[in-house]
Amino acid sequence: MNRNFEKWITTFKNTLRTNDFWVDWERVFSNVKKYKKEISLLNKILNKTNIEEKFKKLANKFPSITNCIPLLIAVRSLSITTAEKTVNFTGWKNLDEICDFMRESGLFKFLQEGKIKNLNDYFTGIEVGLDSNGRKNRGGKIMSECFESFLKKLKTPYKQEVTLFEIAKQYDLNISKVVKNKRFDFVFVINGIVYGAEVNFYSAGGSKLNETAKSYIELNNELKNVKNFEFLWITDGEGWMSAKKDLQNAFNNIRHLYNINNLKNGILGKLINWKKEIYNEIDLKLEHESTKKEK
């Protein structure tokens, strides 16, 4: 299969984002719901005078109320470390330290000054902001779902998140010299050939892309002599423009390196014929060698 890298990379996509990409609303409201009781209790002392005293009384009666304090400053962890100390927000035993933190960080003042009317709305806003950290994972998930949709169209059975050791055991592959704990995003079989696929999308560049390309070249080199196994890498995204040289090196070394455009053009279906072509080439070579010996 003749391929042109410069032409290939021009088909890369800028983004996979859809309109529902930005916020996972189900997760946002689910996270807020976890603290429904605590938020309701805090609402009772919101905008009240002597708020520190009222908070202590509330925390002594309902210790779990302290668990949601870090979220007031958009921190998910139940402990916060400063230059002076680490404050643990689990329960009344650390109440004095928790109150010191809330006073010195300005939280008590914030809760008392009447700038917000309802903590449920406030926590919802916090969760929307924190959910932006999940966009990177959602980008990877969209790419996986994209690849999965093409496998379904091909009606090819597949598995996800499978280690090379598990693959070797199930399909009786000899991988004694290969890293066995390597986990593939997808594994499927075409014409008796097992394909281990890695799927990713990079909307932004960085040094990680250089290492990714190099590691996949090494993995491909380790696997290319394993009988009845092929390594498949599906990648895309404008982030590769910053690591074009490394991607080109991978393109020249990894036979099954494709992008979304290749998927749309039916590359997975072509794999069925691709292997048959290879077998035909081998048969022709053997026939030629046999003829030479006879002569």
Side-chain angles (χ1 to χ4, degrees):
M1 187 191 306
N2 293 323
R3 300 199 296 164
N4 183 294
F5 175 77
E6 292 297 335
K7 184 178 179 180
W8 179 68
I9 200 170
T10 61
T11 64
F12 272 42
K13 291 184 172 295
N14 294 333
T15 182
L16 289 178
R17 296 168 185 166
T18 54
N19 289 339
D20 61 355
F21 166 83
W22 304 100
V23 179
D24 184 344
W25 292 105
E26 185 177 345
R27 182 184 178 189
V28 165
F29 290 119
S30 175
N31 286 342
V32 173
K33 190 176 180 180
K34 290 177 185 176
Y35 293 102
K36 182 179 179 180
K37 174 186 173 183
E38 289 76 13
I39 292 172
S40 178
L41 290 168
L42 281 174
N43 266 330
K44 292 180 179 180
I45 63 171
L46 187 64
N47 306 325
K48 304 291 185 182
T49 56
N50 301 322
I51 193 168
E52 183 171 343
E53 182 182 339
K54 289 181 172 63
F55 175 78
K56 283 184 177 180
K57 288 182 179 179
L58 205 56
N60 276 307
K61 191 173 181 181
F62 305 100
S64 66
I65 200 173
T66 62
N67 294 350
C68 66
I69 298 305
L71 273 176
L72 288 168
I73 54 172
V75 175
R76 287 206 191 280
S77 174
L78 287 175
S79 64
I80 293 177
T81 300
T82 65
E84 291 79 23
K85 63 174 71 175
T86 295
V87 181
N88 192 311
F89 290 86
T90 54
W92 58 269
K93 290 183 179 180
N94 308 309
L95 191 54
D96 287 338
E97 288 186 353
I98 292 171
C99 286
D100 288 342
F101 178 87
M102 292 178 71
R103 188 186 321 110
E104 293 166 12
S105 67
L107 269 176
F108 277 136
K109 184 179 179 182
F110 169 68
L111 294 173
Q112 185 175 293
E113 285 186 337
K115 296 190 181 215
I116 53 173
K117 304 300 180 184
N118 187 298
L119 282 172
N120 190 75
D121 295 340
Y122 177 78
F123 274 95
T124 300
I126 288 288
E127 284 294 340
V128 169
L130 288 174
D131 187 64
S132 65
N133 294 326
R135 289 174 187 166
K136 182 178 178 182
N137 292 333
R138 283 199 289 278
K141 184 180 178 182
I142 292 172
M143 184 65 174
S144 290
E145 288 175 349
C146 173
F147 181 68
E148 189 174 11
S149 69
F150 285 100
L151 283 177
K152 288 178 178 178
K153 286 179 183 178
L154 198 62
K155 296 182 179 179
T156 299
Y158 61 89
K159 293 183 179 180
Q160 292 179 263
E161 298 296 323
V162 186
T163 66
L164 194 53
F165 176 78
E166 291 168 335
I167 297 170
K169 186 176 180 181
Q170 181 174 351
Y171 299 105
D172 193 26
L173 302 178
N174 182 10
I175 58 166
S176 58
K177 296 181 179 180
V178 185
V179 180
K180 296 183 180 181
N181 61 356
K182 168 63 188 172
R183 187 179 297 273
F184 288 94
D185 295 329
F186 292 88
V187 173
F188 56 96
V189 180
I190 293 178
N191 287 344
I193 304 300
V194 182
Y195 288 87
E198 287 289 281
V199 181
N200 41 51
F201 187 95
Y202 297 98
S203 56
S207 58
K208 180 183 177 181
L209 296 182
N210 302 331
E211 294 305 316
T212 298
K214 290 175 184 176
S215 66
Y216 284 163
I217 290 173
E218 291 176 3
L219 180 63
N220 181 73
N221 289 338
E222 291 176 342
L223 292 169
K224 66 183 180 182
N225 292 322
V226 176
K227 188 177 179 182
N228 295 330
F229 183 88
E230 294 286 344
F231 171 54
L232 188 77
W233 181 19
I234 308 293
T235 194
D236 214 308
E238 64 180 355
W240 280 113
M241 300 306 165
S242 68
K244 191 175 176 181
K245 184 178 179 181
D246 294 280
L247 184 62
Q248 184 170 15
N249 192 24
F251 184 85
N252 293 333
N253 283 277
I254 301 174
R255 179 156 196 167
H256 296 298
L257 171 53
Y258 307 119
N259 64 6
I260 293 174
N261 188 62
N262 294 135
L263 293 176
K264 288 182 176 179
N265 289 331
I267 192 63
L268 293 182
K270 291 175 183 176
L271 290 178
I272 296 173
N273 294 326
W274 176 81
K275 209 61 192 178
K276 288 179 180 177
E277 290 172 4
I278 295 300
Y279 289 144
N280 289 338
E281 288 177 11
I282 293 172
D283 290 340
L284 286 172
K285 286 180 181 178
L286 290 174
E287 185 179 337
H288 178 67
E289 291 298 322
S290 177
T291 304
K292 283 172 62 178
K293 288 179 180 178
E294 290 177 1
K295 290 180 179 179

